[in-house]
Amino acid sequence: MTRLLILLALLCLPIRTVAQCLGDGDNDGAVSVAELVGAVANALNGCATGCRLNFQTSTFDDPGCGFIGPFNTTCGFDLVGGMVAEDGYVYIVLDTNPRIGFIGEATSPTTATLLEWSFAPYTNPHFIGGSLRLENGRRTVVIDPDTPTVTIGGCHFDTYRGAYLPLDGSGAAAAVDITALRALAAERR
């Protein structure tokens, strides 16, 4: 009898549920344009597992990764980017006009210390500190300079948070120029 009364009492308690916001990959309660683009790419091409690069051991023979996301949370627009890694260095190019490249030195398979950034043709490097990370199960790349590095379209480059897109020639990732990534790496050597 006591168990029955406890069960009835529990059934009468208000139950609070949390609704899942479909498409909200970072669980911030909102679906960003980058997450929406990623969801559409997943619907068209199958769900992406995330960037498989190992910052410490990947080579240019490994497939790169594409991303799309904002570089400033209060200003600006989403940027498409591509990333490759070789010899313990990570190279990222974002599709701005002119393109902007970042180089980081690997500290783990998914983190790197930011070393420099430059505009194409990547001959005038600007040395910076900060970090480069793969987060959210390798589905988000974060470029997090210690201080804003540059202004793009009137907005300071604060922190880039890009949603993963495979570099397979489809969707927004097709805008990433692998040649630009290799040129950035060649300048570094």
Side-chain angles (χ1 to χ4, degrees), residues 154-175:
C155 300
H156 289 292
F157 188 104
D158 291 333
T159 300
Y160 177 79
R161 295 189 67 80
Y164 171 70
L165 293 170
L167 284 180
D168 61 2
S170 63

Side-chain angles (χ1 to χ4, degrees), residues 3 9 20 44 58 85 108 112 127 146 155 169 177:
R3 288 183 183 164
Q20 180 182 6
L44 294 173
S58 287
S108 82
F127 300 99
D146 288 340
C155 300
D177 185 354

Side-chain angles (χ1 to χ4, degrees), residues 102-124:
F102 293 86
I103 298 175
E105 185 172 11
T107 56
S108 82
T110 58
T111 60
T113 300
L114 279 176
L115 299 176
E116 60 187 66
W117 71 270
S118 60
F119 284 116
Y122 316 115
T123 55
N124 186 24

